[in-house]
Amino acid sequence: MNSPNEIQLTVVLAVGDSYSVIRRIIHFLLKQSIRDQMELIIVTPSSEELDSDGDVLARFGNCRVVETGAPVSIGNANAAGIRQATAGVVVMAEDHAFPEENWASALLEAHQSPWAAVGPQVRNGNPGSLVSWADFMIGYGPWMAGTEAGDVDFLPGHNTSYKRDILLEYGDDLEAMMEAETVLHWDLKAKGHQIRLDQSAMIRHWNFSRLSPWLTAMLHSGRVFAGSRMREERWSMLQRFLYVVASPLIPVVRFTRLSRKLPLTGKSKGGRFLLALMMALGLVFDGLGQMLGYAFGTGNAKARLVRLEYNRGRYLNKADRIRWQLLDDSS
C-alpha cells in the first residue's frame, strides 16, 4: 500500500455484515483514475463476519475496517468513518450508489476551491419501474443529471464529500449532524460556508422498486429528518406545534418543487402523470413521518430505517434483480 501521507480522498462505506453486498461498488471505486490516492474505510459491526477480500482491497492507496460492535444508523457509521479518515477530503458512499470513472478526481478538483461540501449529480441506476422513478425524484430530483451546477442550499445525503476539518468542528454533535445531512448543509450555509453541486462528478443510484419497502422508508426517513432538524435547531414547543399543524402542507410544497424536474425524466405526458401520482403517494408518507418527528422526535425510526438502507438489492423488484444478477443473493 502507498504511504498514508499520499492519500488525498477518503471514501467512507458503511455495510451491515456481508462483503458481497459492497463488492459491486468496490469494483466501481477501483476504476477511479486516482485509486492509489484513495483511502477506503469500511464501517461494519464485525470485521470477522465481514470476511473481506484483502487482495482486492490492497489495490487502494489505503484500506481499513472500522468495527462498531453492533449495527448502527448510517449517520453514526459515517461519523465513525470520518473520525478515522486520514485525507483532507472525505466522501460518503453507499452499497447501492455507483460512481462514474471521473467521480473521485472531479470531487478532489472541486475541493481545491473553498467549498465546504461538494456533491455529485445523480442518475437513476434502475429506471425500469414507476416506484424507482418516484423514489429517485423525491430523493435525488434536485441533483439529477441535467441540473445546473454551482452553489446550492443542500446536497444528496449519503453521497456528498466534505473537507474533513470542517466536519470535525462539530465534535460530539457529528453523529447527530450526519443523520440528516440536509440539516448539516443548512447549518454549514448558516455558518458562512458554501456548498457545490458539481457537474463533472456523477453517480448512478439504485432506488427502491418495491412499493411497501419504499413507503416504509419514506415514513421513517421523514421522521428522522424532522426529529433531527427539531433537535439541532433547538425548537420551542410552539415551533413544534406549528409544524405539526402545518405538516399536511409539506407534501404539497415538496411536490410543487419536484414537479418542475419531471420533464428531465424523458417520459411522455402520460408517463409523467403516472409518475406524479406515485410521487404524491410517497410524499404523503414522508409528510406523515415528518409530522411524527416534529411531534414526538425520531423515536425508533433510525433503527428501522437502517435495515432498509443496507443491502438495497433486497428491495429491488424481480426485474431489477434479474438485470443485476441478484436472484442468488443469500440475503
Side-chain angles (χ1 to χ4, degrees):
M1 292 188 185
N2 294 338
S3 171
N5 61 18
E6 298 176 8
I7 298 301
Q8 300 296 315
L9 178 69
T10 295
V11 181
V12 177
L13 178 59
V15 62
D17 56 6
S18 175
Y19 180 78
S20 64
V21 173
I22 59 173
R23 195 182 302 276
R24 192 183 304 270
I25 184 177
I26 287 175
H27 166 75
F28 282 89
L29 291 173
L30 285 171
K31 293 173 69 176
Q32 300 300 308
S33 61
I34 61 167
R35 75 180 188 198
D36 59 338
Q37 301 173 50
M38 290 167 53
E39 173 182 58
L40 176 63
I41 292 185
I42 301 173
V43 185
T44 182
S46 169
S47 60
E48 185 174 333
E49 291 186 15
L50 185 66
D51 193 24
S52 57
D53 187 335
D55 290 339
V56 171
L57 297 180
R59 296 166 64 189
F60 290 101
N62 192 33
C63 181
R64 285 182 291 151
V65 176
V66 174
E67 290 185 310
T68 59
V72 295
S73 70
I74 297 294
N76 282 351
N78 284 342
I82 291 165
R83 295 187 192 283
Q84 294 295 319
T86 62
V89 176
V90 294
V91 59
M92 307 305 112
E94 299 179 288
D95 63 48
H96 51 276
F98 311 111
E100 296 190 355
E101 291 188 20
N102 64 340
W103 164 84
S105 58
L107 292 177
L108 268 186
E109 183 177 352
H111 272 286
Q112 299 306 306
S113 299
W115 303 105
V118 179
Q121 289 197 344
V122 188
R123 301 185 196 275
N124 189 346
N126 58 322
S129 70
L130 202 59
V131 172
S132 170
W133 269 109
D135 185 25
F136 174 77
M137 291 298 294
I138 292 173
Y140 293 95
W143 315 285
M144 66 189 298
T147 301
E148 184 177 356
D151 190 10
V152 293
D153 291 328
F154 57 107
L155 291 164
H158 303 169
N159 293 281
T160 289
S161 64
Y162 302 89
K163 287 184 170 61
R164 179 173 176 264
D165 288 346
I166 292 177
L167 290 182
L168 293 180
E169 291 175 2
Y170 284 97
D172 293 339
D173 292 330
L174 180 60
E175 284 78 3
M177 297 304 291
M178 296 304 295
E179 290 295 347
E181 285 173 71
T182 298
V183 177
L184 168 62
H185 300 159
W186 289 344
D187 190 65
L188 289 172
K189 298 280 284 190
K191 291 177 176 176
H193 295 292
Q194 292 182 308
I195 63 178
R196 174 179 175 81
L197 176 67
D198 194 90
Q199 211 164 23
S200 299
M202 185 75 68
I203 63 172
R204 293 182 181 270
H205 187 274
W206 278 355
N207 310 288
F208 289 98
S209 52
R210 290 170 49 202
L211 183 63
S212 179
W214 173 54
L215 294 179
T216 302
M218 291 299 299
L219 178 71
H220 294 320
S221 62
R223 184 168 183 178
V224 168
F225 167 77
S228 298
R229 181 184 186 187
M230 176 187 67
R231 181 185 61 250
E232 296 306 319
E233 297 180 4
R234 296 182 172 86
W235 282 10
S236 66
M237 291 299 295
L238 177 60
Q239 286 176 295
R240 293 174 62 178
F241 174 75
L242 291 175
Y243 266 77
V244 169
V245 172
S247 59
L249 296 176
I250 293 173
V252 178
V253 172
R254 293 197 67 193
F255 180 83
T256 301
R257 293 171 179 168
L258 291 170
S259 63
R260 300 167 189 160
K261 296 282 187 175
L262 284 172
L264 293 179
T265 65
K267 294 185 176 295
S268 65
K269 288 185 178 180
R272 291 200 296 268
F273 176 73
L274 293 175
L275 174 55
L277 290 179
M278 187 64 72
M279 288 168 57
L281 177 62
L283 288 169
V284 166
F285 274 75
D286 170 78
L288 177 59
Q290 290 199 44
M291 181 181 70
L292 292 172
Y294 292 132
F296 306 111
T298 56
N300 62 356
K302 288 192 293 185
R304 294 187 175 184
L305 186 61
V306 73
R307 293 194 289 269
L308 296 166
E309 286 291 349
Y310 290 133
N311 195 355
R312 181 59 53 85
R314 292 179 293 181
Y315 306 110
L316 303 184
N317 61 25
K318 186 174 181 179
D320 282 340
R321 291 173 67 80
I322 291 173
R323 178 184 178 188
W324 293 101
Q325 299 179 346
L326 298 172
L327 286 180
D328 292 330
D329 278 4
S330 61
S331 58

